[in-house]
Amino acid sequence: MTVTAVGAALLTGCSSDDPDTDAAQPAASSPAGSPSAPPSAPASASSPAPEESEATAYVEPAECESLGLASDAKLAGKDLAACVTAAFAAYGTGTEYMLNKDRAGTTRFRVGDDPELAGDVDGAGGERAKNSFVFLGGEEWIKSDGAWEKSDSKEAVDAELGRKYRTLSDPQVVSDIVGTFATWKVDTEKALISLENGKDTHAWRITNAAHFDYQGAEMTEYILWIEDDGTPVGAQATSHTGGAPSTVSQHFYDLGEPVTIEAPAV
C-alpha cells in the first residue's frame, strides 16, 4: 500500500464518539495524554549499526520565504505543501506525538530519500507502548505482545495498526494531504501551542477553505500549524466516511535534534 493510501485508511479507520471532535485540537494545549518513552531495542549482530544524527541548524527554505505567510492570507495548496516538505527536509530529524482517539504514541523520524521511523503506540485500553515499530532501510518491524517480528510475517490486528500508525507518522503525509486541496486560509492571529517537550510556541493556524477528498475520505477539516519561518508545529485531520468523524492530532517538536533509529533484535 502507498503512503497516502495507508494514511487514508487510518484517518477513516477509527471513529470518534463525539462529533464535535475539533475540541481535541492541540492549538491551546497538548492533545490528551503524554508521549510514550521511546524504546531502546538492542541491535542484533546482523542489524545495521544505529545512526545518530547531529543537531541541525535550521535555515528557512526558499519555498517558505516566498509562501506569503501572513495574517488572513490565502495560500495555494501546492505552495504550502512545498514549504512543509522543504522545512522538514531542512531539519532532517525530529519527534512526533500523535493522538488518534484512544491511541497515542511517539515517533522519532529522519526524513530524506531513505526515511526512517521508530516509535511506540499505546494500546486501546491505555497500556503504555503496547505496540512499537521500526522502519529502517526499507524494512519494517512491529512489536506486539512484547515480541518483535518482521511486519510481512505478522497478520495480527495490532501489527496492522502499527503499520498504519507508522505510515501516518511519516511527515511526508502532511505535505501529501495539504497538496491535495487548492486553497488554504491563514487565521488572523497566531495560536499558542504547548508541545510535549515542555515548550510553548505561537504558530499560524491554517485551514482548508472547504471540504475535499483525500484518497476516498471526505476531509471536513484539516488544520496545519506552522511558525513564521515555515517550521511545522502540528496538524489535525478530521475526516468523515459513512460514519462518525475521525480525528487525528499531531505535534512535531525537537526538530533537528539527534535521533537514534536501529533495527531490533528478532
Side-chain angles (χ1 to χ4, degrees):
M1 298 179 72
T2 64
V3 167
T4 52
V6 179
L10 181 56
L11 286 172
T12 60
C14 185
S15 297
S16 170
D17 295 328
D18 182 1
D20 188 17
T21 48
D22 187 52
Q25 65 176 278
S29 61
S30 302
S34 59
S36 306
S40 181
S44 64
S46 60
S47 301
E51 298 180 20
E52 183 167 338
S53 62
E54 298 295 332
T56 300
Y58 179 72
V59 176
E60 183 179 3
E63 292 88 343
C64 298
E65 289 181 343
S66 62
L67 182 60
L69 186 61
S71 174
D72 208 31
K74 291 185 178 180
L75 308 175
K78 62 180 181 61
D79 295 336
L80 181 57
C83 170
V84 173
T85 297
F88 276 124
Y91 279 110
T93 61
T95 302
E96 173 189 355
Y97 174 77
M98 182 182 294
L99 176 66
N100 181 9
K101 193 187 177 183
D102 53 3
R103 302 272 185 167
T106 305
T107 300
R108 306 180 303 286
F109 60 83
R110 182 177 290 111
V111 301
D113 294 335
D114 190 15
E116 301 172 2
L117 300 161
D120 300 314
V121 186
D122 292 345
E127 306 93 330
R128 301 300 294 272
K130 179 177 176 59
N131 304 305
S132 299
F133 60 89
V134 171
F135 180 75
L136 176 66
E139 297 183 298
E140 184 174 23
W141 294 262
I142 300 292
K143 184 176 76 171
S144 178
D145 298 325
W148 284 98
E149 293 190 47
K150 279 287 190 69
S151 64
D152 57 3
S153 66
K154 191 170 182 62
E155 299 178 356
V157 173
D158 281 345
E160 182 65 20
L161 171 68
R163 186 179 300 112
K164 292 177 180 178
Y165 191 102
R166 187 277 296 170
T167 306
L168 192 57
S169 297
D170 188 338
Q172 183 58 43
V173 173
V174 177
S175 300
D176 290 342
I177 295 175
V178 169
T180 301
F181 189 65
T183 306
W184 296 79
K185 175 70 179 298
V186 183
D187 276 7
T188 56
E189 296 181 358
K190 294 179 182 178
L192 172 65
I193 299 181
S194 297
L195 299 172
E196 280 65 34
N197 60 359
K199 296 182 179 180
D200 292 339
T201 186
H202 288 84
W204 293 107
R205 181 180 184 272
I206 305 172
T207 57
N208 51 304
H211 295 191
F212 64 96
D213 179 84
Y214 173 70
Q215 295 291 319
E218 181 187 9
M219 197 68 69
T220 56
E221 183 178 58
Y222 193 85
I223 306 171
L224 174 68
W225 290 272
I226 62 175
E227 297 177 345
D228 283 324
D229 61 1
T231 297
V233 173
Q236 179 172 287
T238 299
S239 60
H240 199 294
T241 305
S246 173
T247 298
V248 178
S249 300
Q250 298 166 272
H251 276 168
F252 303 101
Y253 55 97
D254 291 345
L255 296 176
E257 293 297 319
V259 298
T260 299
I261 299 174
E262 56 188 303
V266 294

